[in-house]
Amino acid sequence: MTTNQLSSDTDVIFITIDSLRPDMLRGSSPSPTPFLDSLFNDGFELTSCYSTGYPTQFALPGLMTSTLPLDYGGYEYGIRTRPTALSESFQNAGYSTAAFVTAFWLGRLYGYDRGIKTFCPLFNLEFWTKNLKGVYLKYAKQLIESGDKSTEEAVELLCPLVGEFLDHLVDYCNERRAEVNQERLHPHYLSSRLHAWDFERAADVAKKAQESFDKDPTTFVATLLQETKQEESSRLFQREGSWFDELLATQLSERAESKSKWLRSLPLVASWASPYGPSPSRMFEQPMEDIENWVDMVRRGKISSARYVTENLATWIEGSEDPYFAWTHLHDIHSESMFTLDFDEEQWFGTELAGHRKFLRGWGGKSLPESTNISRTLSSRYVDTVLEQFVNRVVEGSNNPPLIVITADHGKQRPTRSGDHVNQFYDSLLHVPVAFVHPDLESGSFDGLCSSLDIAPTLLNLLGIDIPESFDGVPVSQYPDGGRSYVIAEDLGRGPCDPSKPANICLRTDDRKVVCSAPVNGNERFSVEYASDLKEDPQELSPLDTSDLPEGFDTLIENVRKRAHQIRQSLAGDAGIPPNSGPSSGNLWKNTQ
């Protein structure tokens, strides 16, 4: 792979598939991903590429700005505080830019609309309440209960976040309202789930909450924390008068026949695995009531399905006259969703169900690979089918085929490893597939160690577009065959980017890995939390005794200490940014192409 192998006006489709591990491709027979398999076989592949963190909140800054998560003040506001985004490089090169994304952490609140002219955040309103409560308020509550912070200190920590949150929530509701009123060209199709809200009313509720916050931020946030403490039901809030509950009540009632159709399909869903003996999927080991709950959860899912996303992206591509950079993020494998539910269900459901059953019959009684399960396999099959139809559509409609880049934000925990996997650093969570596919690009692979930091520079290098000085990664063509000496993944734990917490830093070489806890602004002790010999234990099932590590680990640990020093410099002082600053401000709901 060399510089400027493709024309600088080549169209680019940048596809990130949430939670796709490399071993989920080409790993079984029949493969659930024959189309993706063919793209990876025909393209140029990075076989040993690792994400900068897990989950998405820590992975995307590295992928989209080629910077580590804890640089530039940390991941508090995603990529808003970082010098240059990949999309801005294309915008500066004269490309038309679009993004159709399905994860809350990729929204405008976190700056992922930078350099994007047509930005479509395809996650529904409930995602806002879920993440404010389940991540930020939950974190503050834990600080108070553990005695690490007083209520007043926790409120002070949350106030800037809640203010930003409310500002963007109001904009989100107005943007969705404009789509329902056909004041925006994209997304071209309305979703039965994404748009199943009274956004006129939702915008009013959000605006009143914003006004209440502006009058007295401390009291507003303290009340939110008190409501969280008193919550006992599975609903986000059920306390009378809660603005959250008012916001959730703006969802329109669903069609009765929609749910009844799903319930009628349950026997078919439950029978998928039955001809093949005991299922490795816990979903099919549970009673019908639990399966019904799973189906209902998928039907009410908070993200848009792959088919809905790609259908909208295809309509945008077909209307684009300039060279384009189009980014889409698909969430189906992460949520183990395998049906299109955003359109009229009759349009897709029967075909997709028949396709899944046909695929399972092809197993002929064999067991699934140990690395997967039925629901994940079928969600992979669904994404593969949708992408095949999408790519065929846009390639056949183009005089010049686009460059297709396929990767993932991070991987997925293996079914054989139990327990909470948030903020862990196993290879199964960090190893990501990467392929660059174009008829004029020679197929092959780079097998040396590299980072997701290197994906954006490699892409720009292929097209002869200048690589921003702020990018930490470099094109893989500039590495020796062995690649990087090591890669880094890091985070400050789930929740806000709070410098009072120690940083978790993972350093991985070709054959070794260490994870350390390093103080940032506190008196915590630097400690080695995990170490592994990847040659002897590639599945990371037998970690080494960190008190008596083999020769050679000292160098790795010293490099972690150097990185910890850089993080302390990055997070020194106030890591926040002023409200309504940066590229995310302005009238977001205006008509855009």
Side-chain angles (χ1 to χ4, degrees):
M1 177 178 281
T2 59
T3 302
N4 201 18
Q5 279 191 250
L6 303 176
S7 168
S8 60
D9 61 355
T10 301
D11 296 327
V12 177
I13 300 176
F14 194 79
I15 302 171
T16 52
I17 304 175
D18 206 300
S19 304
L20 179 66
R21 291 197 317 263
D23 67 338
M24 295 165 70
L25 304 170
R26 301 173 290 192
S28 59
S29 179
S31 170
T33 55
F35 178 68
L36 285 172
D37 296 351
S38 68
L39 291 183
F40 274 75
N41 289 335
D42 293 341
F44 187 88
E45 184 178 3
L46 310 184
T47 61
S48 190
C49 186
Y50 291 83
S51 176
T52 55
Y54 179 94
T56 302
Q57 185 180 13
F58 315 116
L60 259 293
L63 185 61
M64 302 309 292
T65 67
S66 190
T67 57
L68 287 167
L70 294 177
D71 281 339
Y72 300 100
Y75 52 80
E76 192 75 275
Y77 293 98
I79 63 172
R80 288 172 59 188
T81 61
R82 294 163 193 266
T84 309
L86 173 63
S87 50
E88 290 173 318
S89 292
F90 281 99
Q91 184 184 56
N92 295 337
Y95 278 65
S96 182
T97 56
F100 291 72
V101 297
T102 56
F104 176 78
W105 301 105
L106 277 62
R108 296 186 192 275
L109 175 58
Y110 299 102
Y112 286 96
D113 59 334
R114 293 181 60 173
I116 301 293
K117 183 176 181 181
T118 301
F119 186 79
C120 293
L122 304 179
F123 48 86
N124 80 23
L125 183 57
E126 192 173 347
F127 236 130
W128 287 84
T129 55
K130 172 182 180 291
N131 282 287
L132 180 57
K133 176 203 171 275
V135 177
Y136 294 111
L137 296 180
K138 180 180 178 181
Y139 174 71
K141 178 183 175 183
Q142 290 171 343
L143 288 177
I144 296 170
E145 291 177 345
S146 66
D148 291 340
K149 288 188 184 294
S150 66
T151 300
E152 292 75 19
E153 289 171 330
V155 168
E156 183 181 2
L157 173 69
L158 285 179
C159 273
L161 293 166
V162 173
E164 285 281 326
F165 178 93
L166 291 171
D167 291 344
H168 282 79
L169 174 61
V170 170
D171 287 339
Y172 171 91
C173 292
N174 283 321
E175 190 173 44
R176 299 284 83 76
R177 177 173 59 182
E179 292 164 3
V180 172
N181 294 337
Q182 298 184 331
E183 297 169 6
R184 279 171 51 92
L185 297 178
H186 294 284
H188 182 76
Y189 304 103
L190 297 185
S191 165
S192 61
R193 296 187 295 170
L194 176 66
H195 297 96
W197 301 77
D198 182 348
F199 284 108
E200 195 78 34
R201 182 181 167 196
D204 183 60
V205 171
K207 184 65 177 175
K208 288 179 179 177
Q210 182 188 48
E211 292 170 351
S212 178
F213 173 86
D214 290 341
K215 289 179 182 177
D216 190 347
T218 300
T219 299
F220 184 91
V221 174
T223 302
L224 283 182
L225 280 174
Q226 186 64 25
E227 289 172 343
T228 306
K229 289 181 181 180
Q230 295 180 357
E231 179 192 352
E232 294 180 356
S233 70
S234 60
R235 275 293 299 275
L236 296 178
F237 289 95
Q238 292 213 343
R239 179 172 171 170
E240 186 176 354
S242 163
W243 74 272
F244 264 145
D245 200 54
E246 291 182 41
L247 192 67
L248 292 174
T250 65
Q251 185 168 23
L252 303 174
S253 60
E254 298 180 83
R255 297 176 303 164
E257 62 269 22
S258 174
K259 183 166 185 177
S260 65
K261 176 175 175 54
W262 268 99
L263 296 181
R264 290 196 305 271
S265 74
L266 280 174
L268 296 176
V269 175
S271 68
W272 280 346
S274 59
Y276 315 113
S279 167
S281 169
R282 285 173 293 178
M283 180 180 72
F284 296 104
E285 295 171 356
Q286 296 172 338
M288 179 65 75
E289 180 181 353
D290 288 341
I291 297 176
E292 178 179 336
N293 290 337
W294 175 81
V295 171
D296 194 53
M297 177 192 71
V298 172
R299 183 180 55 82
R300 295 185 297 104
K302 301 174 183 65
I303 53 95
S304 296
S305 63
R307 193 179 305 277
Y308 177 75
V309 176
T310 55
E311 286 288 315
N312 275 295
L313 178 56
T315 63
W316 179 87
I317 288 174
E318 290 166 351
S320 179
E321 297 180 356
D322 298 321
Y324 63 78
F325 170 79
W327 170 35
T328 185
H329 184 85
L330 306 179
H331 206 267
D332 303 80
I333 293 175
H334 178 282
S335 58
E336 299 189 351
S337 177
M338 57 196 77
F339 292 106
T340 299
L341 302 176
D342 303 85
F343 297 111
D344 182 349
E345 292 177 21
E346 296 292 343
Q347 183 177 0
W348 304 108
F349 182 84
T351 300
E352 290 166 354
L353 179 61
H356 288 322
R357 299 194 70 181
K358 179 180 179 181
F359 168 73
L360 286 174
R361 285 196 297 269
W363 281 90
K366 294 183 293 185
S367 298
L368 285 170
E370 186 179 344
S371 61
T372 189
N373 60 30
I374 281 185
S375 52
R376 195 171 301 164
T377 297
L378 292 181
S379 62
S380 303
R381 181 77 195 100
Y382 169 69
V383 169
D384 188 77
T385 301
V386 168
L387 283 178
E388 180 177 18
Q389 294 169 350
F390 163 71
V391 170
N392 287 340
R393 174 177 171 180
V394 297
V395 169
E396 290 173 0
S398 172
N399 293 327
N400 299 304
L403 167 63
I404 299 173
V405 183
I406 302 172
T407 187
D409 51 350
H410 53 71
K412 185 86 168 178
Q413 194 61 284
R414 296 173 183 273
T416 51
R417 192 185 296 277
S418 61
D420 183 13
H421 54 267
V422 171
N423 308 124
Q424 293 184 357
F425 298 97
Y426 296 116
D427 277 5
S428 59
L429 299 174
L430 297 178
H431 191 193
V432 293
V434 188
F436 301 84
V437 187
H438 189 275
D440 295 337
L441 185 63
E442 185 177 352
S443 63
S445 67
F446 176 77
D447 302 320
L449 186 65
C450 62
S451 168
S452 59
L453 298 172
D454 303 317
I455 295 175
T458 299
L459 170 58
L460 296 177
N461 184 62
L462 275 175
L463 301 171
I465 298 175
D466 291 340
I467 299 172
E469 292 183 3
S470 62
F471 279 17
D472 289 334
V474 299
V476 296
S477 60
Q478 296 182 13
Y479 286 127
D481 290 343
R484 286 175 172 259
S485 299
Y486 59 84
V487 294
I488 292 176
E490 59 191 25
D491 62 58
L492 276 175
R494 188 68 158 155
C497 189
D498 180 0
S500 68
K501 297 183 292 184
N504 305 308
I505 306 171
C506 170
L507 190 147
R508 186 197 194 281
T509 68
D510 266 336
D511 56 1
R512 294 172 181 170
K513 178 186 292 186
V514 293
V515 178
C516 300
S517 176
V520 177
N521 279 347
N523 297 317
E524 300 89 354
R525 182 176 60 88
F526 181 96
S527 61
V528 180
E529 300 292 324
Y530 170 91
S532 179
D533 183 331
L534 299 174
K535 283 192 174 179
E536 296 294 329
D537 180 26
Q539 298 299 317
E540 298 182 81
L541 298 176
S542 303
L544 300 174
D545 180 358
T546 57
S547 65
D548 185 25
L549 292 174
E551 184 179 355
F553 274 86
D554 289 349
T555 302
L556 277 66
I557 295 170
E558 182 58 31
N559 284 327
V560 174
R561 289 184 183 275
K562 291 178 182 178
R563 176 58 192 157
H565 177 70
Q566 294 173 344
I567 292 171
R568 281 192 288 272
Q569 291 180 314
S570 167
L571 300 182
D574 182 11
I577 58 175
N580 293 324
S581 68
S584 295
S585 60
N587 293 324
L588 307 178
W589 55 91
K590 290 290 181 67
N591 192 352
T592 59
Q593 166 57 35

